[in-house]
Amino acid sequence: MRERRPPHKTRERTKPADNAAAKRVTLPRALSKLGYCSRTQAERLIAENRVAVDGRTVSDTSAWVDLATARICIDGLAIAAEAKIYLMLNKPRGLVTTRHDPEGRPTVYDCLRDFDIPHLSPVGRLDKASEGLLLFTNDTEFAQILLDPVTHVTKTYHVQIDRIMDDECIAAMTSGIRHDGELLTATAARRLRRGDRNSWIEVELDEGRNRQIRRMLEALGTECLRLVRVAIGGLELGELPKGAVRALTEPELQALRRRTGLERTRRN
């Protein structure tokens, strides 16, 4: 017979204590979770002695705070959690995914001029030549989980290439192609349609390596003519016009949260 655990130890592990501990985070993470700025920006603000917690200036970036009770001020002004925003952009070709480009090139933020939200950030990236579905949010937890390779949220792309894709190349993309010392693998690949000299294929990825599809095609001796991201998880680009932005619906958000396990985490 197994020995029973003493009653006093059971009583010590109470749910309120677990919940309280879950609200304690480092100060940079607190500023990030509140949607005020990124953790890197928060560390800079703390180092510049611009952050106060409960009336006392904090200069230690490893300091812990209780999100449920702490009064956090930046430059003497109290901050509160921003309303969470989730947007979808149909990114046009030719825009870079950054807020400020040192070369002065147009950026995806040119499409967001009507949204006065200072801490809105892209969830992942699309390179300058790529098009399609790009998400923006000020919910850092949502963005991090959506990008985490462990969650395996698939991204679906429609790709135009300069040849007719054969079965051998399709098989190579799903079994793995080595390029510059990296093994690059698509979750799925299939032919969509063909013309006389080129064709379209659909490619699914569950990882976010730099220029992954273009590199795979390059290794196969194939040129990528167009690359359009059409879905993230079950969220589809649909008929959203090029350069247009819209808010995600509540059912779309719930579906993405279920896909990443975030909905389950929040219930617990």
Side-chain angles (χ1 to χ4, degrees):
M1 180 182 294
R2 289 189 305 174
E3 184 178 347
R4 295 181 63 184
R5 187 177 294 178
H8 71 277
K9 288 189 177 181
T10 303
R11 286 196 298 268
E12 287 175 1
R13 300 181 64 180
T14 59
K15 191 170 183 179
D18 292 341
N19 289 342
K23 294 183 182 297
R24 283 181 51 80
V25 295
T26 61
L27 186 52
R29 180 157 176 76
L31 293 176
S32 173
K33 286 178 75 68
L34 290 170
Y36 185 83
C37 60
S38 70
R39 278 189 250 184
T40 301
Q41 292 168 328
E43 290 171 356
R44 189 179 308 122
L45 291 171
I46 295 166
E48 293 171 353
N49 293 319
R50 296 171 59 187
V51 183
V53 179
D54 297 331
R56 302 179 67 174
T57 300
V58 178
S59 57
D60 182 3
T61 57
S62 63
W64 288 73
V65 298
D66 188 335
L67 273 174
T69 60
R71 184 175 186 271
I72 304 174
C73 296
I74 307 293
D75 297 331
L77 299 175
I79 64 171
E82 290 185 335
K84 295 295 187 280
I85 305 294
Y86 309 88
L87 302 177
M88 169 197 297
L89 165 68
N90 185 350
K91 175 191 174 296
R93 189 173 186 170
L95 302 184
V96 293
T97 307
T98 184
R99 185 178 293 274
H100 303 292
D101 182 62
E103 299 178 31
R105 295 172 295 181
T107 80
V108 291
Y109 284 91
D110 294 335
C111 300
L112 301 176
R113 293 192 186 96
D114 294 336
F115 295 87
D116 187 18
I117 306 169
H119 311 300
L120 201 62
S121 299
V123 182
R125 291 177 177 269
L126 284 173
D127 62 35
K128 181 183 175 183
S130 298
E131 315 164 45
L133 177 56
L134 184 62
L135 297 180
F136 289 82
T137 186
N138 57 355
D139 186 340
T140 55
E141 181 184 17
F142 174 80
Q144 288 165 5
I145 291 179
L146 199 59
L147 293 172
D148 192 333
V150 175
T151 61
H152 297 293
V153 177
T154 57
K155 284 80 172 174
T156 307
Y157 302 82
H158 287 178
V159 188
Q160 185 184 31
I161 57 176
D162 68 342
R163 54 176 282 196
I164 309 302
M165 183 64 87
D166 55 37
D167 292 340
E168 185 178 349
C169 289
I170 289 288
M173 295 187 78
T174 54
S175 61
I177 298 171
R178 192 161 294 278
H179 183 276
D180 288 343
E182 274 191 292
L183 184 63
L184 308 175
T185 307
T187 307
R190 68 183 184 91
R191 287 183 290 271
L192 287 175
R193 57 186 181 273
R194 56 176 290 176
D196 293 333
R197 299 182 180 178
N198 56 61
S199 60
W200 284 84
I201 59 174
E202 182 177 85
V203 182
E204 290 184 11
L205 304 177
D206 65 358
E207 56 185 358
R209 304 200 186 189
N210 185 41
R211 300 181 69 252
Q212 182 169 342
I213 294 176
R214 296 181 188 277
R215 292 167 62 198
M216 294 173 77
L217 292 173
E218 181 182 327
L220 293 171
T222 301
E223 183 182 354
C224 176
L225 303 178
R226 284 185 68 191
L227 190 151
V228 185
R229 184 156 64 197
V230 297
I232 296 175
L235 177 66
E236 297 184 353
L237 180 61
E239 300 300 320
L240 187 67
K242 193 79 66 180
V245 183
R246 73 164 176 85
L248 269 61
T249 66
E250 190 58 34
E252 288 172 337
L253 275 173
Q254 289 177 359
L256 280 176
R257 288 182 178 129
R258 284 194 299 270
R259 199 71 169 258
T260 61
L262 187 58
E263 193 75 23
R264 189 165 56 252
T265 302
R266 289 186 173 182
R267 284 199 301 268
N268 295 338

